[in-house]
Amino acid sequence: ASASAPDGATAKVNAPAAPTTPPAPAKILLPTIRINAGAAALKDATGVEWLGDTGFEGGDVIERPDLPIANTKQPELYRSEHYSMDAFKQPLPNGKYLVKLHFAETFEGIQGPGERVFSFEVEGKPFANFDPFVKAGGFGKAYVEAVPVEITDGTLNIKFTPQVENPQICAIEITPAP
C-alpha cells in the first residue's frame, strides 16, 4: 500500500506486525551443592565433584581413609566427618530444595545403639533422638536422610543438638527442586 506524504511524494506504509506472545522467562536451574564434611574437595567414585568442608559453626573434623563403608557406591564420602558442631549454614536463593544429609557411624568408640544420639533441625523441621548407628543398621554403613525444604530468608539453616556423644555428619547435598 502507498500513501501521499505531505510534500507530495509517495511513502510506503507497512502493515502492523502480528502481535506476539513474549517468551516465558527461562527458569534458572541452579547447580546442586555438595559438601564433603570433614575433608577436602573430592571427586567421588561416580565422578561427582564435592566441595571441601565448609559452612559449619563450631566442631572439628576427622578422616578415616581406610575404613570400609557399606550401603553406598560412594564410600569415600563416609570416611570423613564434621562432628560436635552447633550449626550449618549455606546461602541460597529463596525456593524449594531437597537436602540430603549423609551419615555413617565410623567412630570406633561406638559399638551399638544409643551410644551416639543427637537431634537436628533442617529449616525448622525437627529430627529428634537421631542415632546414626540405628538408622544405618550398624557400624560403617551409609545412611541418607532426605529433607524437602523451602528457603524464604536466603539461607539454609541446620541446627545440631548433642544428647549422647556429639552430633556428626559425613556430607550434605542441596538440590534445587524442579
Side-chain angles (χ1 to χ4, degrees), residues 9-60:
T10 356
K12 188 169 181 170
V13 177
N14 291 325
T20 58
T21 304
K27 181 168 179 164
I28 298 170
L29 262 179
L30 300 169
T32 295
I33 297 169
R34 294 177 177 91
I35 297 165
N36 181 24
L42 69 82
K43 185 182 283 192
D44 70 23
T46 65
V48 172
E49 301 271 346
W50 293 76
L51 301 171
D53 188 86
T54 187
F56 291 96
E57 292 180 7
D60 207 347

Side-chain angles (χ1 to χ4, degrees), residues 2 11 16 30 36 38-41 49 57 68 76 84 89 97-98 101 104 125 129 157 174-175:
S2 58
L30 300 169
N36 181 24
E49 301 271 346
E57 292 180 7
E76 60 281 4
S84 193
K89 292 184 179 184
Y97 296 85
L98 181 62
L101 307 172
K125 293 182 180 184
N129 304 312
N157 293 288
I174 306 161
T175 304

Side-chain angles (χ1 to χ4, degrees), residues 85-126:
M85 63 283 183
D86 298 316
F88 170 85
K89 292 184 179 184
Q90 176 67 44
L92 294 171
N94 289 345
K96 294 183 179 185
Y97 296 85
L98 181 62
V99 178
K100 292 182 182 177
L101 307 172
H102 296 256
F103 299 96
E105 186 52 70
T106 61
F107 173 49
E108 62 279 354
I110 302 221
Q111 298 296 312
E115 294 181 17
R116 179 190 309 271
V117 180
F118 59 95
S119 297
F120 61 92
E121 285 183 14
V122 182
E123 280 300 303
K125 293 182 180 184

